Amino acid sequence: MIEPFDDTYFMKKALQEAEVAFEKGEIPVGAVIVVDNKVIARGHNLTEMLCDVTAHAEMQAITAAANFLGGKYLKNCTLYVTLEPCQMCAGALYWSQISRIVYGARDAERGCINLNTKLHPKTAIEGGVLADEAASLMKRFFILKRNLN
């Protein structure tokens, strides 16, 4: 029997996606969606590249997971995302009926928790997994961006 991976393992995969976004000059948010201990979808922010304000990491991952599963519902799936989802992404996650959301760093200003965004009643959410690593990447990105402008 294969031992299950833990939340830290999958959050590291999401952080790898965030690094890809960083290298592309995108706000470094990364996401992976897991079912049965297997990554079925990956995503990172593409808002600048696609000129699309909805091209958040979570949205990319939701679309990829739905395509992989052949349906719009993400029951029995877990989203690992490096930053607490915004209101838009939380709304999409609500409609996907995802079972669980695990995020890294908190977004006190724009995150779904402070904005009291409703998640699906069957969706569990927890945060703080590798939060320091995720926050550090964001800080590094914005310091670099300010210094270039």
Side-chain angles (χ1 to χ4, degrees), residues 51-118:
C51 295
D52 180 356
V53 297
T54 68
H56 289 195
E58 299 95 323
M59 303 297 270
Q60 303 301 311
I62 290 167
T63 299
N67 286 334
F68 178 88
L69 295 171
K72 62 184 179 180
Y73 297 119
L74 304 181
K75 296 175 182 178
N76 302 314
C77 293
T78 299
L79 167 74
Y80 292 88
V81 61
T82 58
L83 184 67
E84 175 187 344
C86 71
Q87 217 169 3
M88 174 187 69
C89 293
L93 290 161
Y94 177 98
W95 291 111
S96 77
Q97 298 183 24
I98 197 157
S99 296
R100 186 167 172 246
I101 300 167
V102 179
Y103 66 86
R106 196 74 209 280
D107 186 348
E109 190 175 325
R110 294 184 184 95
C112 64
I113 294 170
N114 270 4
L115 296 174
N116 294 317
T117 307
K118 286 191 75 95

